[in-house]
Amino acid sequence: MLRLKDDRGAVADIVAILMVPLMGFAAISLDIAATHAERQQLQIGADAAALAIARDCARKACGSPRTTAQDFATLNSNSGEAAATVPAV
């Protein structure tokens, strides 16, 4: 079969063009995964703070629930900038 045009290297062009959206999708998926991990970590910190406050109150040593919640939220945060709020009852 006689080729009128040489097609060698066409795959490299297609791969180079498709790398742009592929890298974009990879960046978006990494951002979403990081956001999900941070949200999950903050939820774990909130759960740990709630359990610590409940344990303290069960032992009749409630002290300051706000301080306990803030301590656990800060310890369970990567950035250390978590802010805990305790509603007044």
Side-chain angles (χ1 to χ4, degrees):
M1 183 168 156
L2 180 64
R3 289 187 176 180
L4 298 175
K5 185 176 173 186
D6 190 16
D7 286 340
R8 295 175 69 186
V11 173
D13 292 339
I14 292 172
V15 169
I17 290 170
L18 292 178
M19 283 302 284
V20 174
L22 181 65
M23 295 299 278
F25 287 133
I28 290 171
S29 66
L30 287 174
D31 286 343
I32 290 171
T35 302
H36 177 70
E38 183 178 359
R39 183 176 178 201
Q40 186 177 16
Q41 188 177 28
L42 289 173
Q43 183 63 49
I44 290 170
D47 292 343
L51 288 172
I53 292 169
R55 185 190 64 208
D56 287 348
C57 288
R59 293 179 180 171
K60 305 289 190 227
C62 283
S64 175
R66 186 177 311 263
T67 304
T68 304
Q70 183 61 48
D71 290 344
F72 274 85
T74 303
L75 289 173
N76 285 295
S77 171
N78 278 341
S79 63
E81 297 176 3
T85 58
V86 178
V89 180

